[in-house]
Amino acid sequence: MDEWIEKINNTCDIETLENIRIELLGKKGILTNEFLKLKNIPKEEKKEFAKKLNIQKHLITTALDEQKTFLEKELLKQKLKNEKIDVTKFNNSLQCGALHPVASTMDTVITYFQNLNFSVEEGPLVEDDFHNFEALNLPKYHPARDMQDTFYNKDYTLLRTHTSPVQIRTMLKQKPPIRMIAPGTVFRRDFDLTHTPMFNQIEGLVVDSADKISFANLKHTLVEFLEYMFGDINIRFRPSFFPFTEPSAEVDISCVFCKSKGCRVCSHTGWLEVLGCGIVDENVFKSIGYDNVSGYAFGLGIERFAMLKHNIGDLRSLFESDLRLLGQFR
Ligand code: PHE
């Protein structure tokens, strides 16, 4: 019996232990067999024999139980050791970020115009009435102010509704010839599928001596630019109105989603409006004391360009920071 106890105590895994249990105490086990012998043993020896067997059985089951508990504990210890998390360990699999589609589109447009020798100008986000409206031929109570729902502050300042005030600031600061773009954030009280209260624009302004700048210059610059941005597209200039340009136009490109067949994005017209432009109005030059000059200006919305370039359907998704969307631009 001692041999068996020793064997049990030296067992290293639960499966072997179970096999030993079956070998001894199973239906055909060695000890079970001994118990069966009881009925053939003479009465006087029976008691003694049964006592011996019971003690043996007790010793064996105790040894089996103890060894099983011991092995289970060891197994748990091993498991905990293997599954331990080292929170201080450096994780090499960090994922790289990428530029947001709005930022990368902004960069593309800025670089394009920098290569054409345009300077990059900036202005404040909190503007005054003069720069945002008055100097741009938008006098107080002019109905065209309704085109841009403005956020006003208590001190008569406002959040700029477009990047056009940077035209005024740059012309006051520099002398012609001027060739500039002004990228930046603008604000309007508008919120739906295609409008957010904050978005980004790029303004363009070219000013030179009188009669030097014509609509043909404007058209050439914008056609080249749009073909660079969108590749093989049709472009049309549609007469429009802006207080600060005369004549004014809005520029449409053939729908990049449906190739002009008509879809939800282009409202089944086959065309997408992408920017506003025109020849700088005389009144703008007058308001800042410029004389004998000519110029053109244009303004475009960066988010719209990013959506068209990257096939993004909902403007608001550009501001939701959803990694499932942003991960696609890595
Ligand atoms: N400022 C105009 C807008 O925000 C765009 C524009 C800029 C139009 C310059 C003409 C010339 O809608």
Side-chain angles (χ1 to χ4, degrees):
M1 208 30 63
D2 287 351
E3 279 163 42
W4 282 106
I5 303 270
E6 204 180 316
K7 209 171 166 187
I8 289 168
N9 289 342
N10 289 334
T11 313
C12 298
D13 68 282
I14 290 178
E15 206 184 321
T16 318
L17 197 67
E18 177 62 9
N19 288 338
I20 294 175
R21 193 190 64 78
I22 294 169
E23 212 179 328
L24 290 171
L25 301 168
K27 248 185 186 169
K28 291 175 184 159
I30 297 169
L31 217 61
T32 317
N33 260 338
E34 292 295 302
F35 275 101
L36 288 178
K37 283 181 192 160
L38 265 177
K39 56 180 184 274
N40 304 323
I41 279 177
K43 237 183 192 167
E44 50 282 10
E45 289 171 35
K46 208 176 217 167
K47 203 176 164 194
E48 200 50 34
F49 192 70
K51 197 177 165 189
K52 203 176 121 204
L53 279 184
N54 276 324
I55 289 172
Q56 281 179 350
K57 190 182 175 185
H58 175 74
L59 289 175
I60 294 281
T61 33
T62 314
L64 280 169
D65 286 349
E66 275 174 4
Q67 186 66 3
K68 195 173 174 193
T69 318
F70 170 75
L71 287 178
E72 277 171 352
K73 269 190 193 157
E74 281 302 301
L75 202 72
L76 184 68
K77 252 194 234 165
Q78 203 61 36
K79 215 174 156 191
L80 288 175
K81 203 171 141 197
N82 289 342
E83 291 174 7
K84 193 166 76 179
I85 297 170
D86 181 357
V87 289
T88 63
K89 202 171 166 187
F90 182 70
N91 182 0
N92 287 325
S93 63
L94 284 179
Q95 289 187 343
C96 271
L99 275 185
H100 190 279
V102 170
S104 72
T105 308
M106 188 83 116
D107 283 356
T108 309
V109 180
I110 292 174
T111 310
Y112 178 87
F113 283 104
Q114 274 181 321
N115 287 340
L116 293 180
N117 241 339
F118 281 63
S119 67
V120 179
E121 306 295 338
E122 280 182 320
L125 305 188
V126 179
E127 264 297 2
D128 53 45
D129 195 88
F130 173 74
H131 292 90
N132 196 81
F133 290 129
E134 200 87 33
L136 288 162
N137 197 26
L138 263 153
K140 282 195 183 62
Y141 309 113
H142 192 288
R145 284 199 182 198
D146 292 348
M147 281 163 76
Q148 305 179 353
D149 282 314
T150 313
F151 286 109
Y152 285 99
N153 296 319
K154 282 198 185 110
D155 58 358
Y156 297 107
T157 59
L158 49 89
L159 298 182
R160 68 176 182 193
T161 55
H162 50 180
T163 41
S164 301
V166 189
Q167 287 187 30
I168 304 300
R169 290 187 178 273
T170 310
M171 285 193 281
L172 287 172
K173 203 172 64 184
Q174 296 174 20
K175 294 230 148 13
I178 289 170
R179 204 188 284 125
M180 59 144 261
I181 53 166
T185 311
V186 302
F187 307 87
R188 291 184 199 177
R189 294 177 41 167
D190 228 342
F191 191 48
D192 59 35
L193 248 174
T194 51
H195 298 90
T196 48
M198 182 218 78
F199 59 103
N200 293 279
Q201 285 189 333
I202 289 198
E203 190 82 9
L205 174 73
V206 171
V207 183
D208 211 323
S209 45
D211 299 328
K212 230 180 164 181
I213 305 296
S214 72
F215 205 95
N217 300 134
L218 168 65
K219 193 173 172 189
H220 174 75
T221 307
L222 292 179
V223 167
E224 289 282 312
F225 164 63
L226 291 171
E227 280 175 354
Y228 171 78
M229 290 300 285
F230 298 108
D232 194 15
I233 43 156
N234 291 320
I235 298 167
R236 74 175 182 190
F237 284 66
R238 191 166 29 78
S240 186
F241 172 78
F242 297 103
F244 28 91
T245 47
E246 181 61 35
S248 304
E250 279 174 314
V251 183
D252 299 339
I253 62 170
S254 51
C255 183
V256 291
F257 293 102
C258 64
K259 303 272 173 273
S260 298
K261 286 192 191 79
C263 67
R264 202 176 56 91
V265 185
C266 63
S267 308
H268 301 279
T269 61
W271 294 99
L272 297 164
E273 182 203 318
V274 289
L275 55 81
C277 63
I279 295 295
V280 180
D281 194 292
E282 268 305 305
N283 284 339
V284 174
F285 289 140
K286 240 184 245 163
S287 70
I288 48 166
Y290 269 27
D291 207 5
N292 271 327
V293 289
S294 59
Y296 68 71
F298 60 88
L300 57 93
I302 287 296
E303 282 77 7
R304 181 135 176 92
F305 270 60
M307 286 171 74
L308 298 179
K309 237 175 112 62
H310 297 295
N311 247 310
I312 299 168
D314 185 344
L315 172 67
R316 291 170 294 192
S317 62
L318 288 174
F319 301 105
E320 280 168 356
S321 304
D322 187 335
L323 291 178
R324 288 169 301 179
L325 177 98
L326 299 179
Q328 297 173 44
F329 301 102
R330 214 177 283 133

